[in-house]
Amino acid sequence: MGVHLQEEIIMDILIKLHVRSLLRFKCVSLLWMALISDPYFTIKHFNYGKNSQHSPKTLVLNGEFSSHSSSLSTALLSSIQLVENVQKLDWPCNRRPLSFRMYCCYDGLALIKVCDYPCYERHILLLWNPSTRESVVLPCPEFSVISDYVCGLGYDSVSGDYKILKIDQRARSEMLTLKSGLWRKIDKRPIGVYPVWCDMEDSLAFVHGAFHWLDSSLNNSLISFSISNEVYREIPWQEGMSLVFNRHYIKYGLSVLEGLLCVYSTHIHRRIYTFKLSVMKDYGIKESWILLFAIQGTDLHSIIPKYKFSDGEVLLRCRHVERKGVVLKTSKESSGLWPQYDSECMQNGFVFTESLIPPKLLLT
């Protein structure tokens, strides 16, 4: 006699599995196909992965002409183990593009700009799920996507919709709501909110229902923009914490680690690079800013925190003074660098929680 398990028990088992396994298990039976394809299961699977430190996480590395992925853990950051686990990803479009850039990721989805060969002037934006390899072309924004800009991707819990905020170097802002498929200009920028400090490696940090960035004015403010009611406000610094952006600061920005807003900076003085990472423990409370750690050295700079492991170590994306591209290491002082050789160096890296969310169904 066959063993019949209740649907709830099957679901509790399946939500703990990798997306790749779930895609294969759709072939087991019509019941499993319906269960794994159900939006309720998709949400439950993602929430388990997002809230569990032991769930599968994926490190996606993108270079100038290729993308690769690897399952992520501190044990896999040794060069040999990580190389063995790396898998080349298919292009998120029909043919190999001339170039592409990965802007940001949220809920297992990535926002990518592709230069479409052979039309060098044609740039398109894609929403891509690297776990399922599915993608969808986004509508063209009103302002050009060829010039430099920064983007952020987030979820509006009020409207139940994903939204993309795009800000260019001229402080022109527009937002795409995926359900409507329409870009809309944001004209409500008040006096005192200046253009985002545009950096090709940065994205807008999304946490607590708002996008965040450091402005490029002399005020050096931390600005938030609510995704629901589209209201700007300034997030308070702790006294003595404000960054003084001058020639000694070669990298600074915002990130989100374990759902907490972080500010980081790399400062150089007498050829010594000092990296500092501070975190806001209680959102909106200036007294809750604490220094998480600081690192000094002579060879690593332009450091960006990417992910915090369950043991407290932080994955850092760095640039090396004698290397091309970027390298990865953890905040542990004795940790090594990956990759070991310039030929393997990537341009950027993002950490994803695996997701079954289909990009095409979000754009209706």
Side-chain angles (χ1 to χ4, degrees):
M1 295 179 61
V3 178
H4 298 282
L5 298 176
Q6 292 183 356
E7 187 173 316
E8 293 80 5
I9 298 177
I10 297 176
M11 181 176 293
D12 287 340
I13 296 173
L14 293 181
I15 62 172
K16 299 177 175 64
L17 300 182
H18 285 274
V19 167
R20 184 184 303 175
S21 298
L22 293 174
L23 295 178
R24 291 202 309 267
F25 291 165
K26 283 185 175 183
C27 302
V28 171
S29 67
L30 292 177
L31 172 63
W32 282 37
M33 165 71 84
L35 178 64
I36 296 172
S37 303
D38 191 292
Y40 174 75
F41 177 83
T42 298
I43 295 173
K44 190 168 183 177
H45 175 266
F46 177 77
N47 287 337
Y48 173 82
K50 181 173 64 174
N51 297 323
S52 173
Q53 285 281 357
H54 304 290
S55 66
K57 300 293 189 299
T58 300
L59 173 65
V60 174
L61 306 165
N62 69 279
E64 185 176 1
F65 300 110
S66 62
S67 287
H68 301 77
S69 71
S70 171
S71 57
L72 181 65
S73 70
T74 50
L76 286 171
L77 282 178
S78 70
S79 60
I80 297 176
Q81 289 175 309
L82 189 53
V83 168
E84 289 177 347
N85 195 41
V86 165
Q87 299 176 0
K88 190 170 184 178
L89 296 177
D90 297 329
W91 292 109
C93 49
N94 293 331
R95 56 180 177 267
R96 174 174 170 169
L98 176 67
S99 64
F100 75 101
R101 175 190 171 190
M102 190 180 300
Y103 279 100
C104 56
C105 61
Y106 187 78
D107 280 5
L109 302 170
L111 181 64
I112 298 175
K113 180 174 76 171
V114 175
C115 178
D116 195 18
Y117 178 86
C119 183
Y120 302 105
E121 297 300 320
R122 182 171 180 244
H123 291 71
I124 58 176
L125 290 175
L126 296 172
L127 190 63
W128 178 44
N129 184 329
S131 300
T132 63
R133 312 298 199 265
E134 296 175 326
S135 64
V136 63
V137 177
L138 298 176
C140 293
E142 181 171 340
F143 301 126
S144 171
V145 296
I146 297 178
S147 58
D148 287 342
Y149 55 89
V150 291
C151 287
L153 171 65
Y155 181 74
D156 182 358
S157 59
V158 175
S159 63
D161 195 5
Y162 286 89
K163 297 181 179 180
I164 296 170
L165 179 63
K166 171 178 168 288
I167 307 177
D168 65 17
Q169 288 182 318
R170 297 170 60 184
R172 297 180 302 184
S173 305
E174 53 186 331
M175 180 177 287
L176 171 67
T177 57
L178 293 187
K179 282 185 178 180
S180 69
L182 298 175
W183 286 93
R184 181 172 51 84
K185 291 191 293 184
I186 306 296
D187 298 321
K188 299 190 298 183
R189 184 168 65 89
I191 297 175
V193 177
Y194 295 87
V196 65
W197 188 276
C198 194
D199 190 310
M200 288 296 288
E201 297 168 342
D202 284 339
S203 59
L204 302 178
F206 183 78
V207 66
H208 284 274
F211 296 107
H212 300 77
W213 64 85
L214 297 171
D215 77 356
S216 59
S217 72
L218 296 178
N219 295 331
N220 305 320
S221 303
L222 199 170
I223 304 299
S224 75
F225 178 76
S226 170
I227 197 173
S228 299
N229 54 24
E230 300 183 3
V231 172
Y232 292 91
R233 75 184 186 100
E234 186 174 340
I235 303 296
W237 295 109
Q238 195 171 35
E239 291 185 11
M241 183 183 167
S242 180
L243 299 176
V244 180
F245 301 147
N246 54 38
R247 62 186 178 87
H248 296 294
Y249 277 93
I250 60 174
K251 183 64 182 175
Y252 40 83
L254 299 176
S255 64
V256 178
L257 299 177
E258 294 186 323
L260 300 177
L261 186 63
C262 304
V263 60
Y264 58 86
S265 64
T266 301
H267 176 273
I268 183 172
H269 181 63
R270 295 182 178 178
R271 299 183 180 180
I272 301 295
Y273 296 101
T274 301
F275 171 77
K276 293 183 179 181
L277 177 63
S278 298
V279 60
M280 191 179 224
K281 301 290 286 186
D282 297 312
Y283 184 75
I285 307 299
K286 70 176 183 179
E287 291 80 11
S288 69
W289 283 104
I290 62 168
L291 178 65
L292 200 59
F293 62 84
I295 298 176
Q296 284 191 326
T298 58
D299 52 357
L300 297 178
H301 63 89
S302 300
I303 300 174
I304 301 177
K306 289 294 184 178
Y307 180 75
K308 188 176 181 182
F309 295 97
S310 57
D311 61 0
E313 287 192 48
V314 177
L315 178 67
L316 303 173
R317 196 238 64 175
C318 321
R319 290 193 177 275
H320 194 283
V321 293
E322 298 179 353
R323 301 276 297 275
K324 298 178 181 179
V326 301
V327 293
L328 299 173
K329 75 179 299 293
T330 68
S331 51
K332 188 176 181 179
E333 186 174 351
S334 60
S335 70
L337 302 178
W338 188 89
Q340 291 182 319
Y341 307 105
D342 285 345
S343 60
E344 300 168 347
C345 281
M346 295 290 151
Q347 300 301 316
N348 212 337
F350 293 88
V351 177
F352 288 79
T353 297
E354 290 195 347
S355 169
L356 288 162
I357 298 174
K360 291 183 179 179
L361 294 184
L362 298 179
L363 191 67
T364 56

PDB file of all heavy atoms in Angstrom, residues 26-49:
ATOM      1  N   LYS A  26       7.752  19.090  -9.109  1.00  0.00           N
ATOM      2  CA  LYS A  26       6.464  19.347  -9.750  1.00  0.00           C
ATOM      3  C   LYS A  26       6.035  18.182 -10.628  1.00  0.00           C
ATOM      4  O   LYS A  26       4.848  18.018 -10.929  1.00  0.00           O
ATOM      5  CB  LYS A  26       6.548  20.626 -10.601  1.00  0.00           C
ATOM      6  CG  LYS A  26       6.487  21.919  -9.814  1.00  0.00           C
ATOM      7  CD  LYS A  26       6.445  23.104 -10.765  1.00  0.00           C
ATOM      8  CE  LYS A  26       6.256  24.410 -10.021  1.00  0.00           C
ATOM      9  NZ  LYS A  26       6.136  25.564 -10.963  1.00  0.00           N
ATOM     10  N   CYS A  27       7.010  17.368 -11.035  1.00  0.00           N
ATOM     11  CA  CYS A  27       6.717  16.228 -11.911  1.00  0.00           C
ATOM     12  C   CYS A  27       6.277  14.988 -11.138  1.00  0.00           C
ATOM     13  O   CYS A  27       5.936  13.965 -11.752  1.00  0.00           O
ATOM     14  CB  CYS A  27       7.941  15.886 -12.751  1.00  0.00           C
ATOM     15  SG  CYS A  27       8.534  17.243 -13.784  1.00  0.00           S
ATOM     16  N   VAL A  28       6.302  15.030  -9.821  1.00  0.00           N
ATOM     17  CA  VAL A  28       5.964  13.851  -9.022  1.00  0.00           C
ATOM     18  C   VAL A  28       4.509  13.455  -9.216  1.00  0.00           C
ATOM     19  O   VAL A  28       4.177  12.290  -9.447  1.00  0.00           O
ATOM     20  CB  VAL A  28       6.270  14.100  -7.529  1.00  0.00           C
ATOM     21  CG1 VAL A  28       5.710  12.973  -6.660  1.00  0.00           C
ATOM     22  CG2 VAL A  28       7.768  14.252  -7.316  1.00  0.00           C
ATOM     23  N   SER A  29       3.618  14.442  -9.127  1.00  0.00           N
ATOM     24  CA  SER A  29       2.184  14.155  -9.269  1.00  0.00           C
ATOM     25  C   SER A  29       1.452  15.465  -9.538  1.00  0.00           C
ATOM     26  O   SER A  29       2.005  16.569  -9.365  1.00  0.00           O
ATOM     27  CB  SER A  29       1.627  13.499  -8.001  1.00  0.00           C
ATOM     28  OG  SER A  29       1.658  14.412  -6.910  1.00  0.00           O
ATOM     29  N   LEU A  30       0.199  15.347  -9.939  1.00  0.00           N
ATOM     30  CA  LEU A  30      -0.622  16.541 -10.145  1.00  0.00           C
ATOM     31  C   LEU A  30      -0.837  17.281  -8.840  1.00  0.00           C
ATOM     32  O   LEU A  30      -0.922  18.523  -8.814  1.00  0.00           O
ATOM     33  CB  LEU A  30      -1.964  16.140 -10.763  1.00  0.00           C
ATOM     34  CG  LEU A  30      -1.918  15.619 -12.202  1.00  0.00           C
ATOM     35  CD1 LEU A  30      -3.316  15.183 -12.642  1.00  0.00           C
ATOM     36  CD2 LEU A  30      -1.362  16.682 -13.144  1.00  0.00           C
ATOM     37  N   LEU A  31      -0.928  16.535  -7.740  1.00  0.00           N
ATOM     38  CA  LEU A  31      -1.099  17.163  -6.428  1.00  0.00           C
ATOM     39  C   LEU A  31       0.110  18.021  -6.073  1.00  0.00           C
ATOM     40  O   LEU A  31      -0.034  19.169  -5.653  1.00  0.00           O
ATOM     41  CB  LEU A  31      -1.316  16.099  -5.356  1.00  0.00           C
ATOM     42  CG  LEU A  31      -1.329  16.611  -3.902  1.00  0.00           C
ATOM     43  CD1 LEU A  31      -2.484  17.573  -3.681  1.00  0.00           C
ATOM     44  CD2 LEU A  31      -1.400  15.447  -2.921  1.00  0.00           C
ATOM     45  N   TRP A  32       1.312  17.465  -6.275  1.00  0.00           N
ATOM     46  CA  TRP A  32       2.520  18.236  -5.967  1.00  0.00           C
ATOM     47  C   TRP A  32       2.684  19.415  -6.919  1.00  0.00           C
ATOM     48  O   TRP A  32       3.140  20.477  -6.515  1.00  0.00           O
ATOM     49  CB  TRP A  32       3.739  17.312  -6.030  1.00  0.00           C
ATOM     50  CG  TRP A  32       3.890  16.450  -4.804  1.00  0.00           C
ATOM     51  CD1 TRP A  32       2.891  15.888  -4.081  1.00  0.00           C
ATOM     52  CD2 TRP A  32       5.113  16.072  -4.171  1.00  0.00           C
ATOM     53  NE1 TRP A  32       3.399  15.170  -3.035  1.00  0.00           N
ATOM     54  CE2 TRP A  32       4.772  15.263  -3.065  1.00  0.00           C
ATOM     55  CE3 TRP A  32       6.456  16.314  -4.429  1.00  0.00           C
ATOM     56  CZ2 TRP A  32       5.731  14.706  -2.225  1.00  0.00           C
ATOM     57  CZ3 TRP A  32       7.413  15.755  -3.595  1.00  0.00           C
ATOM     58  CH2 TRP A  32       7.058  14.967  -2.510  1.00  0.00           C
ATOM     59  N   MET A  33       2.324  19.228  -8.162  1.00  0.00           N
ATOM     60  CA  MET A  33       2.369  20.333  -9.123  1.00  0.00           C
ATOM     61  C   MET A  33       1.478  21.483  -8.661  1.00  0.00           C
ATOM     62  O   MET A  33       1.895  22.655  -8.648  1.00  0.00           O
ATOM     63  CB  MET A  33       1.931  19.847 -10.499  1.00  0.00           C
ATOM     64  CG  MET A  33       1.594  20.947 -11.501  1.00  0.00           C
ATOM     65  SD  MET A  33       3.012  21.871 -12.089  1.00  0.00           S
ATOM     66  CE  MET A  33       3.558  20.766 -13.397  1.00  0.00           C
ATOM     67  N   ALA A  34       0.249  21.158  -8.260  1.00  0.00           N
ATOM     68  CA  ALA A  34      -0.689  22.191  -7.812  1.00  0.00           C
ATOM     69  C   ALA A  34      -0.214  22.831  -6.516  1.00  0.00           C
ATOM     70  O   ALA A  34      -0.327  24.051  -6.331  1.00  0.00           O
ATOM     71  CB  ALA A  34      -2.082  21.587  -7.639  1.00  0.00           C
ATOM     72  N   LEU A  35       0.328  22.017  -5.616  1.00  0.00           N
ATOM     73  CA  LEU A  35       0.774  22.526  -4.316  1.00  0.00           C
ATOM     74  C   LEU A  35       1.938  23.492  -4.468  1.00  0.00           C
ATOM     75  O   LEU A  35       1.919  24.604  -3.926  1.00  0.00           O
ATOM     76  CB  LEU A  35       1.172  21.350  -3.415  1.00  0.00           C
ATOM     77  CG  LEU A  35       1.705  21.710  -2.020  1.00  0.00           C
ATOM     78  CD1 LEU A  35       0.625  22.404  -1.206  1.00  0.00           C
ATOM     79  CD2 LEU A  35       2.202  20.466  -1.305  1.00  0.00           C
ATOM     80  N   ILE A  36       2.957  23.093  -5.229  1.00  0.00           N
ATOM     81  CA  ILE A  36       4.161  23.922  -5.387  1.00  0.00           C
ATOM     82  C   ILE A  36       3.861  25.174  -6.207  1.00  0.00           C
ATOM     83  O   ILE A  36       4.500  26.222  -6.025  1.00  0.00           O
ATOM     84  CB  ILE A  36       5.287  23.091  -6.023  1.00  0.00           C
ATOM     85  CG1 ILE A  36       5.679  21.939  -5.082  1.00  0.00           C
ATOM     86  CG2 ILE A  36       6.503  23.954  -6.340  1.00  0.00           C
ATOM     87  CD1 ILE A  36       6.649  20.953  -5.691  1.00  0.00           C
ATOM     88  N   SER A  37       2.879  25.110  -7.109  1.00  0.00           N
ATOM     89  CA  SER A  37       2.533  26.259  -7.957  1.00  0.00           C
ATOM     90  C   SER A  37       1.580  27.229  -7.269  1.00  0.00           C
ATOM     91  O   SER A  37       1.353  28.334  -7.779  1.00  0.00           O
ATOM     92  CB  SER A  37       1.899  25.780  -9.269  1.00  0.00           C
ATOM     93  OG  SER A  37       2.754  24.898  -9.960  1.00  0.00           O
ATOM     94  N   ASP A  38       1.027  26.830  -6.125  1.00  0.00           N
ATOM     95  CA  ASP A  38       0.045  27.663  -5.431  1.00  0.00           C
ATOM     96  C   ASP A  38       0.720  28.910  -4.846  1.00  0.00           C
ATOM     97  O   ASP A  38       1.774  28.809  -4.216  1.00  0.00           O
ATOM     98  CB  ASP A  38      -0.612  26.862  -4.306  1.00  0.00           C
ATOM     99  CG  ASP A  38      -1.813  27.572  -3.722  1.00  0.00           C
ATOM    100  OD1 ASP A  38      -1.628  28.616  -3.080  1.00  0.00           O
ATOM    101  OD2 ASP A  38      -2.943  27.079  -3.900  1.00  0.00           O
ATOM    102  N   PRO A  39       0.151  30.112  -5.060  1.00  0.00           N
ATOM    103  CA  PRO A  39       0.735  31.341  -4.499  1.00  0.00           C
ATOM    104  C   PRO A  39       0.913  31.288  -2.991  1.00  0.00           C
ATOM    105  O   PRO A  39       1.866  31.875  -2.452  1.00  0.00           O
ATOM    106  CB  PRO A  39      -0.276  32.421  -4.909  1.00  0.00           C
ATOM    107  CG  PRO A  39      -0.956  31.877  -6.127  1.00  0.00           C
ATOM    108  CD  PRO A  39      -1.029  30.391  -5.906  1.00  0.00           C
ATOM    109  N   TYR A  40       0.012  30.597  -2.284  1.00  0.00           N
ATOM    110  CA  TYR A  40       0.145  30.477  -0.833  1.00  0.00           C
ATOM    111  C   TYR A  40       1.426  29.739  -0.472  1.00  0.00           C
ATOM    112  O   TYR A  40       2.157  30.136   0.449  1.00  0.00           O
ATOM    113  CB  TYR A  40      -1.066  29.752  -0.245  1.00  0.00           C
ATOM    114  CG  TYR A  40      -0.950  29.465   1.238  1.00  0.00           C
ATOM    115  CD1 TYR A  40      -1.106  30.481   2.174  1.00  0.00           C
ATOM    116  CD2 TYR A  40      -0.662  28.177   1.692  1.00  0.00           C
ATOM    117  CE1 TYR A  40      -0.985  30.222   3.535  1.00  0.00           C
ATOM    118  CE2 TYR A  40      -0.537  27.910   3.048  1.00  0.00           C
ATOM    119  CZ  TYR A  40      -0.704  28.935   3.959  1.00  0.00           C
ATOM    120  OH  TYR A  40      -0.571  28.673   5.303  1.00  0.00           O
ATOM    121  N   PHE A  41       1.730  28.661  -1.218  1.00  0.00           N
ATOM    122  CA  PHE A  41       2.964  27.917  -0.965  1.00  0.00           C
ATOM    123  C   PHE A  41       4.180  28.780  -1.302  1.00  0.00           C
ATOM    124  O   PHE A  41       5.195  28.749  -0.588  1.00  0.00           O
ATOM    125  CB  PHE A  41       2.996  26.627  -1.782  1.00  0.00           C
ATOM    126  CG  PHE A  41       4.273  25.848  -1.615  1.00  0.00           C
ATOM    127  CD1 PHE A  41       4.441  24.994  -0.540  1.00  0.00           C
ATOM    128  CD2 PHE A  41       5.326  25.989  -2.520  1.00  0.00           C
ATOM    129  CE1 PHE A  41       5.613  24.287  -0.368  1.00  0.00           C
ATOM    130  CE2 PHE A  41       6.508  25.290  -2.352  1.00  0.00           C
ATOM    131  CZ  PHE A  41       6.649  24.436  -1.278  1.00  0.00           C
ATOM    132  N   THR A  42       4.107  29.536  -2.389  1.00  0.00           N
ATOM    133  CA  THR A  42       5.214  30.413  -2.777  1.00  0.00           C
ATOM    134  C   THR A  42       5.557  31.382  -1.663  1.00  0.00           C
ATOM    135  O   THR A  42       6.736  31.574  -1.321  1.00  0.00           O
ATOM    136  CB  THR A  42       4.846  31.190  -4.057  1.00  0.00           C
ATOM    137  OG1 THR A  42       4.627  30.270  -5.126  1.00  0.00           O
ATOM    138  CG2 THR A  42       5.944  32.170  -4.440  1.00  0.00           C
ATOM    139  N   ILE A  43       4.540  32.001  -1.065  1.00  0.00           N
ATOM    140  CA  ILE A  43       4.764  32.959   0.020  1.00  0.00           C
ATOM    141  C   ILE A  43       5.309  32.255   1.256  1.00  0.00           C
ATOM    142  O   ILE A  43       6.247  32.738   1.911  1.00  0.00           O
ATOM    143  CB  ILE A  43       3.448  33.696   0.355  1.00  0.00           C
ATOM    144  CG1 ILE A  43       3.018  34.547  -0.839  1.00  0.00           C
ATOM    145  CG2 ILE A  43       3.612  34.561   1.592  1.00  0.00           C
ATOM    146  CD1 ILE A  43       1.653  35.182  -0.684  1.00  0.00           C
ATOM    147  N   LYS A  44       4.726  31.094   1.602  1.00  0.00           N
ATOM    148  CA  LYS A  44       5.166  30.372   2.790  1.00  0.00           C
ATOM    149  C   LYS A  44       6.608  29.884   2.631  1.00  0.00           C
ATOM    150  O   LYS A  44       7.411  29.953   3.584  1.00  0.00           O
ATOM    151  CB  LYS A  44       4.235  29.183   3.049  1.00  0.00           C
ATOM    152  CG  LYS A  44       4.458  28.517   4.396  1.00  0.00           C
ATOM    153  CD  LYS A  44       3.336  27.550   4.740  1.00  0.00           C
ATOM    154  CE  LYS A  44       3.572  26.953   6.131  1.00  0.00           C
ATOM    155  NZ  LYS A  44       2.469  26.060   6.549  1.00  0.00           N
ATOM    156  N   HIS A  45       6.961  29.397   1.454  1.00  0.00           N
ATOM    157  CA  HIS A  45       8.327  28.956   1.185  1.00  0.00           C
ATOM    158  C   HIS A  45       9.310  30.106   1.312  1.00  0.00           C
ATOM    159  O   HIS A  45      10.387  29.970   1.927  1.00  0.00           O
ATOM    160  CB  HIS A  45       8.399  28.344  -0.222  1.00  0.00           C
ATOM    161  CG  HIS A  45       9.785  27.960  -0.650  1.00  0.00           C
ATOM    162  ND1 HIS A  45      10.588  28.812  -1.376  1.00  0.00           N
ATOM    163  CD2 HIS A  45      10.510  26.824  -0.438  1.00  0.00           C
ATOM    164  CE1 HIS A  45      11.740  28.221  -1.601  1.00  0.00           C
ATOM    165  NE2 HIS A  45      11.726  27.016  -1.053  1.00  0.00           N
ATOM    166  N   PHE A  46       8.954  31.272   0.753  1.00  0.00           N
ATOM    167  CA  PHE A  46       9.864  32.414   0.825  1.00  0.00           C
ATOM    168  C   PHE A  46       9.991  32.922   2.260  1.00  0.00           C
ATOM    169  O   PHE A  46      11.097  33.236   2.715  1.00  0.00           O
ATOM    170  CB  PHE A  46       9.394  33.541  -0.088  1.00  0.00           C
ATOM    171  CG  PHE A  46      10.273  34.759   0.011  1.00  0.00           C
ATOM    172  CD1 PHE A  46      11.505  34.788  -0.622  1.00  0.00           C
ATOM    173  CD2 PHE A  46       9.887  35.851   0.769  1.00  0.00           C
ATOM    174  CE1 PHE A  46      12.335  35.889  -0.498  1.00  0.00           C
ATOM    175  CE2 PHE A  46      10.710  36.951   0.890  1.00  0.00           C
ATOM    176  CZ  PHE A  46      11.947  36.974   0.250  1.00  0.00           C
ATOM    177  N   ASN A  47       8.883  33.038   2.986  1.00  0.00           N
ATOM    178  CA  ASN A  47       8.944  33.531   4.362  1.00  0.00           C
ATOM    179  C   ASN A  47       9.784  32.623   5.248  1.00  0.00           C
ATOM    180  O   ASN A  47      10.517  33.099   6.130  1.00  0.00           O
ATOM    181  CB  ASN A  47       7.535  33.677   4.934  1.00  0.00           C
ATOM    182  CG  ASN A  47       6.796  34.865   4.346  1.00  0.00           C
ATOM    183  OD1 ASN A  47       7.423  35.808   3.864  1.00  0.00           O
ATOM    184  ND2 ASN A  47       5.473  34.819   4.369  1.00  0.00           N
ATOM    185  N   TYR A  48       9.691  31.308   5.025  1.00  0.00           N
ATOM    186  CA  TYR A  48      10.534  30.390   5.791  1.00  0.00           C
ATOM    187  C   TYR A  48      12.006  30.665   5.491  1.00  0.00           C
ATOM    188  O   TYR A  48      12.849  30.734   6.395  1.00  0.00           O
ATOM    189  CB  TYR A  48      10.203  28.939   5.460  1.00  0.00           C
ATOM    190  CG  TYR A  48      11.165  27.950   6.092  1.00  0.00           C
ATOM    191  CD1 TYR A  48      10.998  27.549   7.418  1.00  0.00           C
ATOM    192  CD2 TYR A  48      12.245  27.436   5.373  1.00  0.00           C
ATOM    193  CE1 TYR A  48      11.900  26.668   8.008  1.00  0.00           C
ATOM    194  CE2 TYR A  48      13.140  26.554   5.956  1.00  0.00           C
ATOM    195  CZ  TYR A  48      12.962  26.173   7.267  1.00  0.00           C
ATOM    196  OH  TYR A  48      13.856  25.313   7.860  1.00  0.00           O
ATOM    197  N   GLY A  49      12.324  30.821   4.200  1.00  0.00           N
ATOM    198  CA  GLY A  49      13.705  31.074   3.819  1.00  0.00           C
ATOM    199  C   GLY A  49      14.232  32.393   4.343  1.00  0.00           C
ATOM    200  O   GLY A  49      15.379  32.501   4.771  1.00  0.00           O
TER     201      GLY A  49
END
